[in-house]
Amino acid sequence: MSLFPWFLFAHILGAVIAFGPAFSFPIIGRAGGQEPMHANFATRVSERLSHIQVLPFAIPQGITGLALVVTGSFDILGNRWLLVGIVLYLIAISYAIFVQTPTVHRVIVMTSGGPPPGGAPAAGGPPAGGPPAGGPPPELMSLIKRVQRGGMLLAVLIVSIVFLMVVKPF
């Protein structure tokens, strides 16, 4: 009996479980952005899903993928679609772990605990040591933009990998 169908089942199920929630992160983020008092909670929900569901299932995708290569007797170097897919997977998982996760954590830290210390704002000015009146600090907005761009990059990488695995264009 071949193990290939079992690894294929595990690989596809793992992909659905791992990457399905990732496509909800923009919806959660937008909802948090529209209600700033809930933005920290929305970011923490996305981070929690990432740590409990996305990353723990995304990492074994590489293992089940390699098992498929071995049990299916695929030639990695002879199938450029497979080689490109593996490289994109390594880029995506590395970016998610080493760039996106720490950046999201910094957003959570910056938005936790209420307004920064410094007391009431001076007449017409921002609070001492706090953000400018009328908006979040520029550093926070920069981090949020980085998280958004990173999420778009990861989504494009996931869609590209699925395209390569299904269509096998070259």
Side-chain angles (χ1 to χ4, degrees), residues 20-162:
F23 287 92
S24 296
F25 293 160
I27 298 166
I28 295 168
R30 183 177 206 72
Q34 290 174 341
E35 297 182 42
M37 71 290 270
H38 301 296
N40 177 269
F41 177 75
T43 308
R44 287 185 291 119
V45 165
S46 293
E47 182 192 42
R48 190 82 173 137
L49 284 170
S50 291
H51 287 290
I52 289 178
Q53 189 171 355
V54 176
L55 286 174
F57 281 88
I59 293 169
Q61 284 304 105
I63 297 166
T64 58
L66 288 176
L68 287 170
V69 168
V70 171
T71 59
S73 302
F74 287 98
D75 176 17
I76 294 176
L77 297 177
N79 294 293
R80 288 187 302 184
W81 61 268
L82 182 55
L83 185 60
V84 172
I86 291 169
V87 169
L88 293 179
Y89 167 79
L90 292 172
I91 290 169
I93 204 77
S94 298
Y95 187 88
I97 292 170
F98 298 113
V99 178
Q100 193 76 346
T101 298
T103 306
V104 169
H105 181 72
R106 286 180 57 203
V107 169
I108 290 170
V109 168
M110 287 188 74
T111 59
S112 294
E139 180 186 1
L140 175 60
M141 292 310 297
S142 174
L143 288 173
I144 291 170
K145 293 289 184 195
R146 179 192 277 178
V147 168
Q148 290 171 336
R149 286 190 306 268
M152 287 186 274
L153 170 66
L154 290 169
V156 166
L157 289 171
I158 291 168
V159 170
S160 299
I161 293 166
V162 171

